[in-house]
Amino acid sequence: MKTKTLKLITSIALTGGLLVNSPELLPIGISTVQAAEQAAAPSVYIAPIDRAKFIAGGKFDFRVELNNLTAMPSSVSITVNGKDAEQFFDKPFVKTNTSKSQEFTIRDVMISTAGTYEVAVKADGLSKTVKYEVVLADNGGQKAKNVILFIGDGMAFPDITISRVMSKGLTEGKYNGLLEMDKFEQRAVVTTSGMDSIVTDSANSASAYNTGHKSAVNGLGIYPDNTESSLDDPKVETLAEMLKRSKKMSVGVVSTSEIEDATPAAVVSHTRRRADKPEIAEMLYKLQPEVILGGGSAYFLPKSTPGSKRKDDQDLFDMFQKKGYTIAENATQLKAANAPDKLLGLFHPSDMSVYYDRSTNNTAELKSFTDQPNLWDMTSKAIEVLSKNENGFFLMVEGASIDKQLHPMDWERAAYDTIEMDKALGVAKRFAEKNGDTMIVVTADHAHSVSLAGTYWEGDGKSGREGFRTYEEAKFPTYVDGNGDGFPDSPDVDRKLGVVFGSGTDYYEDYKFDPIPTSPAVKNKEGLYVANPAKLANPDDPDRDRFLRKGILNQTTDSTGVHTADDVPLMAYGPGSSYFKGTMDNTEVFFGLANALGVNLTDAKSDGKNWVQLSTFVNVIGGTVKYEATTREITVTVNGSSVILNLASGKATKAGKEVALDFKFNNGTTYVSTSSILEVLASK
């Protein structure tokens, strides 16, 4: 790869006005601290926040703020489990203040011993207490050597259904096939709210997956503080950082968005403002993932290069090359990269084009970027490079434009990108099946309000609302996959899916596919966002309002649809997949990943026992497990014989007699050693 060539292509694209603002670049929200200040009430803020959970030995910044003070307190007490915080962390506070606040910060600390910790702050009449849970990752049983995390950005349950219909079709109500993700048997649902809002953006949700901590809207790897700077907020260590320092594993980041965008950035970043993309590019350089593939080359170019989005003369391409990275600027060069040790591929100055436009060579949208790779080729190349590390790897793969097309209510392009990610998932699944040491998790960072309500058909002359068919009149859509590539041959068929949105703007929907991605709303002369006629096949249709869909959002601020707080799906496969079950908070996904990998950041040693989840083990051998919450007793029954585990006393009994059973309760799950449970079950 010649850097000059990339600079020239990038310059042409950027000066041609190809870059647009991402719909997810949200204004920084009001933190709990700021809200208290606006209410003119003195307050105590502690970061990490109440109920924060840590892997023992994970690094974080500890901060206490006394905000909106009317006078400086005469004394301040900050303790952890009754011990002075400076003594507990064995580091002094850095103390700062303004005319209305005092701050106490200790950077880069950890808690190495599992347990419950209480932080208490007292400052004259102010006081606050929070509790932390510190846990050891499960190191028993078979561990995954590699973990591949797929994030379908914005991929709600309905988007999966829509994509399955378009990809596989139905015959008499039964699907003709399933998506790869449909075939994963281990399943859970994930709640996604952030610390400051019921509805998340991609930054703080992806951050939860990568750190195990909540953040605020726009936050990545941090807790918000009361300073103006977005780069000094209290940090929490990411999984990638942990794996590099503790297990010497390789890390890969693959996305169809700008590589500095929220979800890929969450793997490496610490900033209150997800729009700090030049700085996020530098954070990628600091951690140096062995594989970086996506868009966003504008933030790697020095400001002297036309089209650069940097404000300094750093040339990150040159910096990465000097660190031994092979550079690719297009699909041809990516394919030619022969298993390098490190790989950086940036294929667009902004977000990569969506799959439909790439696959059809839609030059009206692609402009000069006609040689962009697809997501499954990027995934395959990433695995090829990362699997060279005998210590294993962590790879995050994002189907980014699912979200970026659901924002403008272009559900067809979103479905094509969902199918593209599913095919990348198939590449990973085949690798995992061959090697037997790789866990795959696929989930979404948040939902959208998209829903499949029927079909749309104009075959009898009706159009608009009259053309929308429900129940028996809906029948089945007529998508065809004649070439068997998993994608419908055309998104425009005579009977299309009838898709609706609940949290959108005013927009036109005539169920004709847009030749290029088109904004659903535009500003009128009064400054209000109104339905964009360019979404219609015939913008001059005198009766065009029969296609008008009324939105619910504020017309002065919102030009596209927004996220929703709906739960999102999670599917898992491979060693460690059993850690994902039931209803999980998004922070718990991090701990599932850590458990599957057996992350050990302390000097804790393995006891040599083969620990397995009790419920999974008993179910496999045909038994049952029942839990009685009032007595904290678990009853295991196999072939009519019962064993009772008392979690309060730590003792087990069979037929009224105490038996030697090794069991432990960790992270809400009971584990037993296989040798002891088999011996107890076999005993009389």
Side-chain angles (χ1 to χ4, degrees), residues 11 197 235 270 283 295 411 422 434 485-486 520 548 597 621 663:
S11 172
S197 175
K235 299 176 183 178
H270 304 281
M283 293 175 197
W411 54 270
D422 192 67
K434 179 180 178 181
D485 66 352
L548 181 64
L597 287 164
I621 61 177
F663 69 94

Side-chain angles (χ1 to χ4, degrees), residues 144 170 175 217 461 604:
L170 300 91
Y175 284 96
V217 170

Side-chain angles (χ1 to χ4, degrees), residues 10 231 431 452 550:
T10 302
L231 298 171
F431 172 81
L452 173 54
K550 298 294 290 183

Side-chain angles (χ1 to χ4, degrees), residues 62 80 83-93 106-110:
F62 178 74
V80 182
K83 187 175 183 178
D84 179 79
E86 291 182 315
Q87 295 179 14
F88 179 85
F89 291 118
D90 196 26
K91 282 187 176 182
F93 279 117
I106 307 178
R107 302 280 185 184
D108 203 28
V109 299
M110 65 178 68

Side-chain angles (χ1 to χ4, degrees), residues 53-111:
K53 184 175 175 180
F54 307 80
I55 290 285
K59 295 180 180 181
F60 63 96
D61 295 341
F62 178 74
R63 182 175 173 91
V64 173
E65 298 175 357
L66 310 177
N67 287 297
N68 203 41
L69 300 173
T70 55
M72 294 298 120
S74 58
S75 64
V76 178
S77 168
I78 304 172
T79 61
V80 182
N81 277 2
K83 187 175 183 178
D84 179 79
E86 291 182 315
Q87 295 179 14
F88 179 85
F89 291 118
D90 196 26
K91 282 187 176 182
F93 279 117
V94 173
K95 300 176 183 179
T96 56
N97 66 274
T98 69
S99 61
K100 291 187 177 182
S101 70
Q102 276 192 334
E103 299 84 24
F104 305 81
T105 306
I106 307 178
R107 302 280 185 184
D108 203 28
V109 299
M110 65 178 68
I111 302 176

Side-chain angles (χ1 to χ4, degrees), residues 54-58 135-140 143-144 147 237-247 249 394 579 590-604 666-667:
F54 307 80
I55 290 285
V135 299
L136 291 169
D138 178 28
N139 278 281
K143 297 288 107 179
V147 165
E237 192 173 22
T238 70
L239 179 62
E241 290 171 325
M242 292 178 184
L243 296 177
K244 273 190 167 287
R245 74 176 174 91
S246 68
K247 296 172 74 73
M249 293 174 64
F394 170 59
Y579 291 111
F590 164 87
F591 291 95
L593 300 175
N595 283 328
L597 287 164
V599 174
N600 187 351
L601 304 177
T602 69
D603 293 329
N666 188 21
N667 297 348

Side-chain angles (χ1 to χ4, degrees), residues 273-329:
R273 184 174 177 268
R274 56 180 287 180
D276 287 334
K277 294 184 179 182
E279 292 80 6
I280 290 170
E282 294 168 30
M283 293 175 197
L284 281 161
Y285 179 76
K286 180 180 179 181
L287 185 68
Q288 293 191 22
E290 283 71 12
V291 173
I292 304 170
L293 300 175
S297 60
Y299 301 99
F300 277 60
L301 299 170
K303 68 176 183 180
S304 57
T305 301
S308 168
K309 287 201 167 185
R310 296 196 62 82
K311 296 181 180 179
D312 57 34
D313 287 319
Q314 289 194 88
D315 184 337
L316 269 70
F317 281 111
D318 184 58
M319 292 163 60
F320 273 96
Q321 280 183 314
K322 288 179 178 178
K323 289 294 183 179
Y325 281 77
T326 294
I327 310 295
E329 63 176 290

